[in-house]
Amino acid sequence: MGGKTILLLIAGVLGAYYVYTPLPDNIEEPWRLVWIGIPVKMITNLALLVEFLGIDHFVNTAMFFMSFQEVPPTSDENVTVMETTFNDVPVRVYVPTRKSEILRRGLFYVHGGGWCMGDAALFNYDFLSRRTADRLDAVVVSTNYRLAPKYHFPNQFEDVYNALRWLLRQEILEKYGIDPKRIGISGDSAGGNLAAAVTQQLIDDPDIKIKLKLQSLIYPALQTLDMDLPSYRENRDSLVLSKPLMVRLWSEYFTTDRSLEKTMFFNQHVPMESSHLLKFVNWSSLLTEKFKKGHSYYSPNHGSSELAKKYPGFLDVRAAPLLADDNKLRDLPLTYIITCQYDILRDDGLMYVTRLRNAGVQVTHNHIEDGFHGALSYNGLKIGYRIENQYMNWLSKNL
Ligand SMILES: *[C@@H]1O[C@H](CO)[C@@H](O)[C@H](O)[C@H]1NC(C)=O
Ligand SMILES: *[C@@H]1O[C@H](CO)[C@@H](O)[C@H](O)[C@H]1NC(C)=O
């Protein structure tokens, strides 16, 4: 074989590898999704290669490529956009330009990215906040927070909480013309995790008298104890968020030491003395038959106490909101949860829906049958617009 033939062969195999993406039958616009998937796969593989060669942490490579999607805080004819800090945490604030006779609604938004990546300045997040401000005639505060691997839990949580606390003060609400009775919080993925966690924390905060009217969680991550849920099994190799990537992101939230990741992957990280927590994430009792679908329940194996002593974060309710007991959940505000069928985090959201309803919290659950993780952020795809519309309609009626 000549050099050219070999090159063609390699190009063919690589091409097939990058285009080959097994998708469920009911996915809309499959070819567009495959097309979007190609650069995602390439960047992921490149980032892993760079890390394997010992050059840089995979997150740094991924962040480098993502940074090209950041946009400056540009005002348009309908929304004034500014950057400032709330309690030293950088935020972007979106204020509708038109005059308002009454106080406006307020929405505090937390972006996703696995506690390692993402930024309020990314085009998709900027666009979403801008449209939310315009459509709901609301003031949107889109917060940033420090990220792993440089910063670990609880820094992410604390940054988001500090920024939220700064907002929920009379003088700040007056400054932006926000109605203290109509403030909500939203977040997607890791942002949904942080939104759920700070909403719980706020309930008992004696310093903050102004409380949230609602929380809206978009395919949130809510627990670290069981990495063998039906949704983890069914979406193990998902293009957008696979099990190896999800476990890696979870463990990076707590430490860069990869021994935690290994035990998490095999579901051997929960120590014996914490086994009482497993009931809070027991999918066998918390999922409906539709989602249990013939899967067998195996209780996670007991892990070493050493690891849990070193990185107690994964057993902390501020990282895993599903670990809150019913007494705590009972006081949560009106809740909206989006889950997607083809999403490794689907069952986290489903279990939270069950637990909140059991505790008497009013929950609107929107399950997207043809949805996948991150679908809201794919603005070019019909599904992104569809989810956004449903989300905004709910906010518009309830905030
Ligand atoms: C501003 O609002 C008007 C009226 O709703 C709309 O037609 C226009 O497209 C909006 N501009 C931007 C930049 O979104
Ligand atoms: C989980 O729930 C199932 C069925 O409800 C039960 O048999 C099992 O003992 C539970 N396991 C744990 C660890 O709570």
Side-chain angles (χ1 to χ4, degrees):
M1 273 197 289
K4 265 190 190 156
T5 322
I6 292 178
L7 268 182
L8 266 178
L9 208 68
I10 293 175
V13 169
L14 274 180
Y17 164 74
Y18 279 109
V19 172
Y20 176 70
T21 307
L23 292 174
D25 292 340
N26 61 336
I27 289 278
E28 210 175 35
E29 304 181 285
W31 277 103
R32 294 190 66 189
L33 191 57
V34 167
W35 191 243
I36 291 172
I38 294 172
V40 174
K41 265 192 198 177
M42 283 181 162
I43 290 170
T44 309
N45 289 336
L46 181 68
L48 291 173
L49 178 69
V50 167
E51 181 170 82
F52 178 74
L53 295 176
I55 300 170
D56 205 353
H57 193 284
F58 92 102
V59 164
N60 295 335
T61 311
M63 279 293 266
F64 171 75
F65 283 101
M66 278 172 108
S67 67
F68 293 108
Q69 295 181 34
E70 288 181 7
V71 292
T74 311
S75 301
D76 63 32
E77 53 188 308
N78 302 330
V79 182
T80 305
V81 185
M82 58 207 125
E83 281 183 328
T84 179
T85 55
F86 278 14
N87 244 345
D88 295 330
V89 179
V91 299
R92 248 180 213 209
V93 187
Y94 301 78
V95 183
T97 312
R98 56 184 171 270
K99 288 266 173 294
S100 178
E101 296 299 314
I102 55 164
L103 290 175
R104 289 196 160 100
R105 303 185 272 193
L107 184 73
F108 185 83
Y109 195 89
V110 193
H111 72 75
W115 309 278
C116 299
M117 294 169 268
D119 197 295
L122 287 177
F123 173 78
N124 281 331
Y125 288 121
D126 181 77
F127 200 45
L128 178 66
S129 296
R130 195 178 283 277
R131 274 195 313 240
T132 311
D134 190 27
R135 261 185 74 172
L136 302 185
D137 193 24
V139 176
V140 177
V141 174
S142 182
T143 192
N144 274 315
Y145 47 90
R146 284 170 294 169
L147 300 169
K150 196 158 177 209
Y151 300 98
H152 298 289
F153 175 84
N155 286 307
Q156 287 81 339
F157 169 88
E158 280 172 354
D159 284 357
V160 173
Y161 196 50
N162 286 334
L164 178 64
R165 281 164 54 102
W166 184 264
L167 172 69
L168 297 178
R169 289 181 314 149
Q170 201 58 48
E171 72 233 59
I172 295 297
L173 298 176
E174 265 166 29
K175 176 174 169 193
Y176 291 105
I178 301 174
D179 184 343
K181 292 194 200 64
R182 300 178 80 188
I183 304 168
I185 186 168
S186 288
D188 64 295
S189 193
N193 166 275
L194 292 161
V198 296
T199 303
Q200 288 184 359
Q201 189 80 5
L202 193 64
I203 293 174
D204 299 325
D205 191 326
D207 300 334
I208 307 292
K209 301 285 179 267
I210 297 169
K211 302 291 176 185
L212 294 171
K213 183 173 185 198
L214 57 83
Q215 63 174 337
S216 122
L217 312 175
I218 303 162
Y219 31 80
L222 297 166
Q223 62 89 30
T224 44
L225 297 197
D226 194 346
M227 301 282 152
D228 192 33
L229 310 168
S231 59
Y232 270 76
R233 295 179 196 171
E234 292 168 16
N235 300 284
R236 192 188 180 287
D237 303 313
S238 157
L239 164 71
V240 201
L241 188 57
S242 64
K243 176 169 174 178
L245 181 57
M246 189 63 230
V247 172
R248 177 79 195 266
L249 293 171
W250 262 128
S251 71
E252 286 288 344
Y253 189 17
F254 307 112
T255 172
T256 303
D257 169 3
R258 300 196 59 182
S259 57
L260 179 62
E261 175 192 357
K262 280 198 201 88
T263 54
M264 267 188 177
F265 191 88
F266 295 107
N267 229 19
Q268 296 173 334
H269 53 299
V270 180
M272 181 74 100
E273 57 273 24
S274 301
S275 47
H276 62 285
L277 296 174
L278 288 172
K279 63 177 182 291
F280 294 136
V281 298
N282 186 340
W283 62 263
S284 172
S285 57
L286 295 169
L287 292 188
T288 56
E289 289 307 322
K290 175 182 172 189
F291 297 103
K292 285 203 250 183
K293 230 185 22 190
H295 288 284
S296 307
Y297 180 79
Y298 305 105
S299 181
N301 287 322
H302 293 306
S304 89
S305 311
E306 293 306 304
L307 205 61
K309 277 205 194 84
K310 237 161 124 186
Y311 311 115
F314 72 87
L315 297 164
D316 193 313
V317 68
R318 294 170 301 162
L322 262 166
L323 301 184
D325 64 24
D326 290 2
N327 283 329
K328 182 90 187 186
L329 297 184
R330 191 168 300 145
D331 296 324
L332 286 172
L334 175 64
T335 300
Y336 180 68
I337 298 184
I338 292 180
T339 53
C340 290
Q341 180 64 19
Y342 306 110
D343 179 2
I344 200 161
L345 297 178
R346 179 192 71 199
D347 298 346
D348 283 24
L350 293 174
M351 291 195 290
Y352 209 40
V353 170
T354 306
R355 293 218 40 224
L356 292 184
R357 283 186 177 154
N358 288 349
V361 177
Q362 207 189 327
V363 182
T364 305
H365 177 209
N366 183 7
H367 182 66
I368 316 284
E369 288 292 348
D370 60 345
F372 47 90
H373 194 75
L376 176 67
S377 296
Y378 290 86
N379 288 111
L381 295 178
K382 285 186 199 153
I383 189 167
Y385 289 113
R386 180 158 36 99
I387 297 177
E388 187 190 294
N389 256 322
Q390 295 168 352
Y391 161 74
M392 294 251 198
N393 284 340
W394 187 84
L395 281 181
S396 181
K397 277 198 202 93
N398 294 286
L399 186 55

